[in-house]
Amino acid sequence: MASEEELFASVDALLEAEPQLPLPAERARLREAAGITQARLATALKTTTQSVKNWENGRSEPKSPRLEAYQRLLNGWAAKHPAHSTPAVPAPTPAPAPAVVPQSEVPATFAVPAAPATEAVAPAEAAAPAPAPIAAERPSRPTTSRRPATRKAAAPPTDPRFPHGPLAVLDGDGSAYGVDGIVLDCPATTVVELVEWTLRESGLGAAKLNRYGKDSDPLIVLTTAAAVKLGLPERLEDRRGLRLEEGHPVLKQISKAKWQLTQRGFGPWARIYRKAQGAQRQCVQLAILPWDALDSRAWPGVTDMEPADVARVLGVYAQRVITPRGSTAVSGLELMTALRPPTRPVQDKETGNWVSGRNPGSLGTEAMDPAPPEGQPEHPAVFHTGWKGGFLREEAYQWVRSVDLLSDEECTLPFAVGLDLNTAFLAAAARLTVGLSEPVHFVNPAFNPKVPGSWLVDLSHVEVDPRLPSPFTPDGTRPTGPAWYQTHTVAYAQELGFNVQPLEAYLRKETGAYLDPWHDRLKTAYVDTLADLGVTKDLTDTQFLAAMERHKQVDPAMAAVLAAIKATVKGGIGKLFENPQGKGYKDGDPWPAMQRPTWRPDIRAAVISKARVNMHRKLLNMSRMTGLFPLAVLSDCVVYPSPGDSPLDFLPYAASGKPQPGGFRLGPTPGLAKLEGVQSMLWAVDLMEKGYNPARHIKGGDAVLDEGE
């Protein structure tokens, strides 16, 4: 039997090996009793004020050697400032392990439970996902990261595999700032060490957005100091290709460690990976801030923010939209695929085995050639056939009314007021039926407004008031003969009471509301972010205008998130019809963008056609209700002459005070309007006489309207 001295020696050894700190609240009490600020304590321990805050609210714990120094300081303060009743430090309770689906029950390719015998498609995963293999290899208490002791009760981790959220911003001192104020200690001094730390110890990542999709790879954002510490240059020498030059030591380190880069190389958004192990991906995304990873137009002011604030902005975006994968345009396109994965596991009826099959409602895995009028002259499927039949021109409005059509009464009005529709392209994507299968050619078909496609039809006989733009052309001019139109454009001609007789059509048999989940997620993100800035649905129109005037000053970080969401909408739609790039391109050659399933110019045309038709419908209703006609339209912005400097001076309201349906209405949701800017009527007429579009400059100063959201 062990003696008392031996037992005490063993206990003392444990105490020395694992320093014990008082509870977080007691740490704060002792510091305050000593009259020391968090900033002064941070300076003494050579850390950040945010780290001290995390230690005192239980978000994280210090690690050696700060742990021992912090313990010594607290012990000294405790001797000078004893509490009346100091609570004992509870022993840590290990967290229960999440349920694990036996891998023998499912194919290695799919991380889903086996389906019942009566099911032809694998059901959704259980609510608690199985831990990833790499996560299972982590030690119970990593020595290279400081993890939160507790998290806010109101925001528990959504996935036990990723307790620290989707991303972190790494600074030069090794502090990795995550979501919700978490700060991790990252000991990496090379890019390879950073990748391995991220996968094995960081606890970063995000769960899939669809049960048939893939988890989001962890994102590490590098500040300038962090990039230099890891051996990267502050500035890329290759400003055209935006790539780290061949032979750079970092590239050699990556190759030597058997890691790989994607074809786009090591640029502002670098992906470093190894072949997946079963269903477990081994991939880390890097974003390098000094290399302009965050475009200031989509992420205003973010690059200049402190690391913790950058983490907050990107973290909110990741939680509401998607973990950034590149530009907001790239993220917008990736979000479509994440919400509508191309494949799902299906059971082979003959063998009973689970195989990969097409996910209904998705775009599948194969790129699809456009119908000739839906492409462009340089596309191989068009160029090599010698197509001369014309192309779709479904673009957003760029129209200015002729000054000859201005009345004397309009010219005497004092103001020109610009209205901008909130995320007009997003509103158009709602419940939008698009084609999912190959286009099929028809001659002299009967028009069907429910079938998406491209129609060759003569709409030159459709007359509209000359003070309004034509609904059929981007520049608002009247068509002069047969042309190709998307279904929504032709359907609107019917809505106006005119007969349509298509000469040809390219239609798709399989259809679906492919963009619905994309629309729903982005709409929620947009509305929630506006609400964070004080712009909510319950405001009166007067209150709404006041809230919108100051919303960017309420919280610059959330204002940046809002800008990124809008850029995601616009860029995502634009990516559906990405043109060839580079001086070396030759007409008729394939280019990378057209070789992906999401290269779908017909879907982009459908969104823009519906958005333009929606705009014209409001313009027409406004003219009927108020007698007012626009001066100019640019995409989703319209400028009206007004007796006052507010939209309230000319928008139609019922006797009850409620907005009249059918016209422009103010509000914070997609499709409703906000004030874009106010100028004098003389200013607007002067621009119109010079051939400029007042809607482009209505904000005033050097501001130029972003053409479409």
Side-chain angles (χ1 to χ4, degrees):
M1 180 178 295
S3 66
E4 182 177 342
E5 291 183 359
E6 291 173 333
L7 292 174
F8 273 80
S10 298
V11 170
D12 289 342
L14 287 176
L15 290 174
E16 292 176 2
E18 188 62 50
Q20 297 295 306
L21 296 174
L23 290 174
E26 176 65 5
R27 303 170 199 174
R29 185 196 73 80
L30 290 171
R31 177 184 54 75
E32 291 169 356
I36 303 298
T37 64
Q38 290 178 327
R40 186 176 174 187
L41 175 56
T43 301
L45 294 177
K46 301 188 184 309
T47 186
T48 63
T49 304
Q50 183 63 51
S51 294
V52 174
K53 290 179 180 179
N54 290 337
W55 300 343
E56 292 186 356
N57 62 27
R59 288 187 183 275
S60 65
E61 298 290 334
K63 67 161 196 165
S64 297
R66 290 191 184 95
L67 176 59
E68 291 78 10
Y70 190 36
Q71 181 196 34
R72 181 175 181 179
L73 180 61
L74 292 175
N75 288 342
W77 283 343
K80 293 181 180 180
H81 310 285
H84 294 295
S85 176
T86 304
V89 179
T93 303
V100 179
V101 178
Q103 292 300 309
S104 60
E105 296 182 8
V106 297
T109 310
F110 308 108
V112 295
T118 57
E119 291 284 344
V121 179
E125 291 86 353
I134 288 181
E137 295 172 2
R138 298 178 192 147
S140 59
R141 181 171 180 175
T143 58
T144 56
S145 66
R146 63 183 182 267
R147 294 171 168 237
T150 59
R151 291 179 66 95
K152 290 183 179 179
T158 57
D159 192 308
R161 298 170 299 163
F162 312 119
H164 296 155
L167 57 86
V169 180
L170 182 63
D171 207 355
D173 64 355
S175 296
Y177 297 84
V179 299
D180 298 331
I182 292 172
V183 183
L184 307 174
D185 280 320
C186 175
T189 58
T190 67
V191 169
V192 170
E193 290 177 356
L194 175 61
V195 169
E196 293 176 348
W197 171 83
T198 302
L199 291 175
R200 293 190 173 92
E201 301 179 29
S202 70
L204 297 173
K208 62 190 77 172
L209 298 180
N210 181 287
R211 62 178 179 172
Y212 302 129
K214 299 175 182 177
D215 295 332
S216 289
D217 299 318
L219 169 64
I220 300 294
V221 182
L222 303 182
T223 64
T224 300
V228 172
K229 178 181 177 181
L230 297 174
L232 297 170
E234 286 192 36
R235 179 179 173 84
L236 280 178
E237 295 299 328
D238 180 7
R239 301 306 297 169
R240 180 180 295 275
L242 290 177
R243 301 290 182 272
L244 202 60
E245 65 273 14
E246 292 293 334
H248 191 279
V250 169
L251 299 183
K252 293 180 179 179
Q253 293 169 8
I254 293 172
S255 177
K256 184 177 180 180
K258 307 299 183 183
W259 290 96
Q260 300 180 58
L261 292 166
T262 59
Q263 290 184 351
R264 60 185 179 183
F266 201 116
W269 290 88
R271 299 185 66 77
I272 304 175
Y273 71 97
R274 281 177 181 159
K275 186 177 180 181
Q277 296 178 346
Q280 176 60 33
R281 291 168 59 84
Q282 297 186 91
C283 185
V284 174
Q285 174 89 57
L286 300 182
I288 298 108
L289 293 182
W291 296 0
D292 301 324
L294 299 181
D295 189 317
S296 60
R297 293 168 296 180
W299 303 95
V302 177
T303 299
D304 297 326
M305 292 180 179
E306 293 297 320
D309 293 323
V310 176
R312 180 183 172 220
V313 171
L314 297 180
V316 172
Y317 180 89
Q319 291 167 341
R320 294 182 179 178
V321 181
I322 192 172
T323 303
R325 296 281 302 272
S327 67
T328 48
V330 170
S331 296
L333 197 67
E334 291 286 345
L335 181 62
M336 295 180 194
T337 303
L339 294 169
R340 292 275 200 192
T343 61
R344 65 172 181 174
V346 295
Q347 195 170 30
D348 188 301
K349 294 182 179 179
E350 295 182 359
T351 65
N353 296 329
W354 290 97
V355 296
S356 179
R358 171 143 183 261
N359 186 20
S362 75
L363 298 182
T365 59
E366 299 295 327
M368 186 181 299
D369 284 340
E374 295 169 352
Q376 66 262 68
E378 57 267 37
H379 191 285
V382 179
F383 181 84
H384 295 297
T385 62
W387 170 262
K388 301 296 181 182
F391 297 93
L392 278 173
R393 289 185 63 224
E394 297 290 10
E395 300 294 341
Y397 269 133
Q398 295 193 47
W399 171 82
V400 180
R401 198 200 321 174
S402 170
V403 291
D404 296 335
L405 297 175
L406 293 175
S407 67
D408 292 340
E409 182 182 355
E410 287 176 320
C411 290
T412 58
L413 291 174
F415 296 102
V417 177
L419 291 177
D420 182 66
L421 296 183
N422 301 321
T423 56
F425 292 165
L426 184 62
R431 315 300 174 252
L432 176 66
T433 301
V434 299
L436 301 177
S437 55
E438 297 276 354
V440 179
H441 184 228
F442 294 87
V443 177
N444 296 322
F447 177 67
N448 187 337
K450 296 183 178 180
V451 179
S454 302
W455 308 79
L456 180 63
V457 60
D458 189 349
L459 298 178
S460 61
H461 62 289
V462 179
E463 294 187 15
V464 296
D465 193 302
R467 292 171 292 180
L468 293 175
S470 167
F472 311 125
T473 60
D475 61 6
T477 58
R478 184 172 175 172
T480 57
W484 290 95
Y485 302 99
Q486 203 275 336
T487 297
H488 281 87
T489 304
V490 184
Y492 188 57
Q494 272 194 340
E495 182 182 323
L496 294 176
F498 295 90
N499 184 40
V500 294
Q501 296 178 330
L503 305 174
E504 294 182 60
Y506 284 90
L507 310 176
R508 287 169 167 81
K509 180 178 180 181
E510 184 184 351
T511 64
Y514 171 73
L515 293 174
D516 264 10
W518 186 81
H519 162 271
D520 294 347
R521 186 168 177 86
L522 284 169
K523 177 184 177 181
T524 299
Y526 180 81
V527 171
D528 288 352
T529 306
L530 262 182
D532 289 337
L533 294 168
V535 186
T536 56
K537 298 179 182 179
D538 58 344
L539 299 178
T540 65
D541 284 359
T542 301
Q543 292 170 334
F544 168 74
L545 290 172
M548 285 300 297
E549 187 173 355
R550 62 176 180 267
H551 78 282
K552 292 183 180 179
Q553 286 72 47
V554 171
D555 186 342
M558 295 308 295
V561 174
L562 184 69
I565 292 170
K566 294 193 292 184
T568 301
V569 173
K570 177 188 174 185
I573 296 299
K575 277 283 185 179
L576 293 169
F577 194 15
E578 188 175 356
N579 290 316
Q581 300 175 10
K583 291 184 177 180
Y585 177 75
K586 295 181 180 179
D587 289 353
D589 290 345
W591 63 93
M594 59 156 281
Q595 296 173 311
R596 63 177 184 239
T598 49
W599 190 84
R600 290 294 302 272
D602 59 300
I603 295 180
R604 175 185 177 273
V607 172
I608 296 179
S609 168
K610 185 178 175 183
R612 196 182 65 247
V613 165
N614 286 347
M615 172 64 84
H616 192 276
R617 188 182 290 112
K618 293 179 187 296
L619 297 173
L620 182 60
N621 288 337
M622 282 285 291
S623 69
R624 292 170 175 171
M625 289 187 289
T626 67
L628 288 177
F629 292 87
L631 301 176
V633 183
L634 181 67
S635 187
D636 45 19
C637 178
V638 56
V639 177
Y640 274 102
S642 173
D645 61 357
S646 169
L648 302 177
D649 295 315
F650 65 89
L651 289 179
Y653 290 87
S656 63
K658 293 184 177 180
Q660 291 278 23
F664 293 100
R665 296 175 54 190
L666 299 175
T669 55
L672 298 187
K674 60 181 179 290
L675 177 64
E676 182 67 19
V678 181
Q679 300 291 338
S680 71
M681 186 64 181
L682 289 176
W683 170 91
V685 174
D686 182 57
L687 284 184
M688 295 166 68
E689 288 178 338
K690 294 177 179 178
Y692 297 122
N693 191 324
R696 186 181 297 276
H697 308 282
I698 192 67
K699 285 183 178 180
D702 295 329
V704 176
L705 179 69
D706 186 9
E707 297 179 20
E709 295 174 357

